[in-house]
Amino acid sequence: MRDLSFFPGVYTEEYDPAFAHCNVTMWNPLGNGLSYEEYDFPIFSMKDDNDTQIIRQCYLDHNRAVNGSTPQYPLCAMQLYSHMSAVTDTATCMRRNDINFSISPEMVCDPLGDYNVWASTRPINNTAKGHKMFESVVIAAARLDSRSFFFDIAPGAESGVSGFVTLLAAAQALRNATQEAQPNRTILYTFFQGETFDYIGSSRMVYDMQSNQFAVDLDNVHSVLEIGQVGLRADSKLWLHSDPVSMKNSSVNNEVRKLIVNLQTASRGLNVSVEEPGFSQPLPPSSFQRFLRARPIPGVVIEDHQSAFTNRFYESMYDNAEYLNVSYPTNMTPEEQLEFVTETAKVLIVSLNFLLSRSVLFSLCKVTRMLYGFLVRTNNSWFQQLIPSDLASHLGKLGHTFLKISEPTLLVQYLLANLTGSTPNITQDNCQNQREDEEDKESKHFYYYMWVQGAAPPNSTQREGYCVRSTVRLSKALSPAFDLRDYTSTNFSTWTESRWKSIKGRIFLVASHDLEMLTLGVGVGVLITSLILTYVISSKADMLFSAGREPANATY
């Protein structure tokens, strides 16, 4: 954990010296920077109860002293393997990647990267990049990723899941309303990956917008509404954070004030109060900061804290379902847990009501299922229905990635498509070939088609698949620093991860030191004796191995 106010967001000396070092607000006062320290030895975490019980039992059987006596050999020992290829820093590591001239080069590290997920309420031609295609866009954003000290143990229940589940439910709740009557401004739902590593996803999207490589120009962005940590509200309060520097611009200030007034009006009559911090402070760690680095844009970040984080386990392995109070009565089956409405689901629904200014109680079951799927059991019956068959067998496997696309990214992609898309009556072939019929060859530029498994009818095991048509797309979440080959960049993230070999360990019994020395001595004695015998036999070989030679004129 670390106080992320030191992350390179928008608050630099050039942007505003007063907030350059974020002396006003300590967002994560409990953070101690543990994840950013360098350790010269591997540290392992084991979460399988069976494995830990084996280790414990081995210790109890062989290593535990009884009545103060010294344990007798053999003793239980454990050997751990964790080979990492990368060294020093990103610049050195990437340079070593480049100078490997072997036929099958061995890479030593890789840039951290994934994919952002985005969708729009109005179809956008994804191939027409770098054009102002409509008046303005409102970006509704949330982050997808989290981190912790140990690899693949970063549940991010409060820091990430609470925000993107709320945004997913909001997108589903607005689906019918936006299809019946398009709003004045197109809503662009965006889910950013890599935000905990210096805003990889958001910085890449802004970079692509500025480089005419994205379907929307940065000039099209009217405002940003970001949902942050909203799962642990104290006294049923949500806080609206805005940027005091950009609001010095009168037009930005007016738009922000309108947005805040609308949000506060929407909260009336609900079991939640919406307030501003009441004093000048920078934005909390948020994707919105990367948009402000490009140009002044009106925006608000919704959080459950006024200043210091409510989340006591920010970027920790303990920011999990239990901490977010996603719990279930005992003796429940997985299917019963999937449908059980938790208190946290009710909390997020209040946030959803406030965001939409309407009753969306019909989304409660969706929020319940999403919390269960992302925090408790990924491989559940509902998620199985919403994904293709070729991904179903991998669902829930720890650390599994698909062509550098992480499992959470894919799940959010398919969830967003199912929650906001439609189901055209077309064949599986046409669906997978991105077309509705032979004459409609342009639809694939505006929509993305995906064939999912679907559910099995009652008394049947055969699933009934269907096609989903949506505006959901993926875009690269890879830092521009690696495209620019600027590995010491101070503007973009330069995080890399090492290549590694299989991480494993083994348990065995080790003999006493005296027995080891005796074994070594006997081995050395055998070696010396064998060398002497070999020398003697070799020097006397003519005598030892000679045979009488028969005369040349011998006859028989």
Side-chain angles (χ1 to χ4, degrees), residues 235-289:
D235 302 323
S236 296
K237 286 185 179 180
L238 285 174
W239 298 92
L240 306 180
H241 296 266
S242 54
D243 173 46
V245 180
S246 61
M247 288 176 65
K248 295 176 183 178
N249 182 306
S250 59
S251 61
V252 172
N253 181 69
N254 291 336
E255 291 296 333
V256 172
R257 300 316 312 172
K258 289 178 184 178
L259 184 56
I260 290 176
V261 169
N262 290 337
L263 292 172
Q264 290 177 332
T265 302
S267 68
R268 293 173 184 170
L270 299 175
N271 189 27
V272 60
S273 62
V274 180
E275 300 181 17
E276 294 182 82
F279 49 86
S280 180
Q281 65 177 4
L283 285 170
S286 53
S287 305
F288 180 37
Q289 292 195 31

Side-chain angles (χ1 to χ4, degrees), residues 36-284:
Y36 298 90
E37 298 290 338
E38 181 178 353
Y39 299 91
D40 296 328
F41 51 88
I43 303 175
F44 292 77
S45 172
M46 300 186 67
K47 57 183 180 179
D48 190 315
D49 290 340
N50 293 330
D51 292 340
T52 55
Q53 182 57 34
I54 292 173
I55 297 172
R56 177 180 174 81
Q57 193 61 47
C58 188
Y59 167 80
L60 294 176
D61 293 343
H62 300 278
N63 296 26
R64 184 175 60 170
V66 180
N67 297 327
S69 62
T70 302
Q72 299 298 311
Y73 285 95
L75 297 178
C76 184
M78 186 172 185
Q79 187 175 27
L80 303 173
Y81 299 86
S82 177
H83 175 78
M84 296 287 178
S85 301
V87 293
T88 312
D89 53 29
T90 290
T92 304
C93 188
M94 295 301 293
R95 185 174 67 248
R96 292 189 179 187
N97 281 348
D98 294 338
I99 62 176
N100 198 327
F101 297 111
S102 63
I103 297 177
S104 55
E106 181 178 352
M107 308 295 285
V108 294
C109 66
D110 298 294
L112 283 185
D114 204 307
Y115 284 83
N116 299 321
V117 183
W118 63 273
S120 58
T121 55
R122 181 180 302 174
I124 299 175
N125 188 339
N126 192 51
T127 60
K129 302 181 188 300
H131 301 286
K132 295 182 180 180
M133 304 178 63
F134 35 76
E135 290 76 13
S136 60
V137 171
V138 174
I139 293 180
R143 53 178 276 197
L144 277 179
D145 65 310
S146 180
R147 69 167 294 174
S148 77
F149 189 80
F150 294 102
F151 175 72
D152 264 343
I153 312 178
E158 160 68 357
S159 61
V161 176
S162 65
F164 75 70
V165 164
T166 300
L167 184 56
L168 281 170
Q172 188 261 341
L174 287 172
R175 173 181 173 273
N176 292 335
T178 55
Q179 287 183 348
E180 292 173 1
Q182 284 289 342
N184 294 331
R185 295 186 176 93
T186 299
I187 302 174
L188 191 72
Y189 303 110
T190 56
F191 299 83
F192 293 117
Q193 270 284 12
E195 296 303 275
T196 55
F197 295 95
D198 296 352
Y199 309 113
I200 294 175
S202 56
S203 62
R204 181 56 186 246
M205 181 171 285
V206 172
Y207 175 81
D208 286 344
M209 286 179 172
Q210 293 178 304
S211 306
N212 296 332
Q213 297 298 315
F214 194 72
V216 176
D217 280 358
L218 189 63
D219 292 336
N220 291 127
V221 178
H222 172 268
S223 56
V224 176
L225 177 64
E226 182 172 351
I227 304 176
Q229 304 180 86
V230 294
L232 294 173
R233 296 200 302 272
D235 302 323
S236 296
K237 286 185 179 180
L238 285 174
W239 298 92
L240 306 180
H241 296 266
S242 54
D243 173 46
V245 180
S246 61
M247 288 176 65
K248 295 176 183 178
N249 182 306
S250 59
S251 61
V252 172
N253 181 69
N254 291 336
E255 291 296 333
V256 172
R257 300 316 312 172
K258 289 178 184 178
L259 184 56
I260 290 176
V261 169
N262 290 337
L263 292 172
Q264 290 177 332
T265 302
S267 68
R268 293 173 184 170
L270 299 175
N271 189 27
V272 60
S273 62
V274 180
E275 300 181 17
E276 294 182 82
F279 49 86
S280 180
Q281 65 177 4
L283 285 170

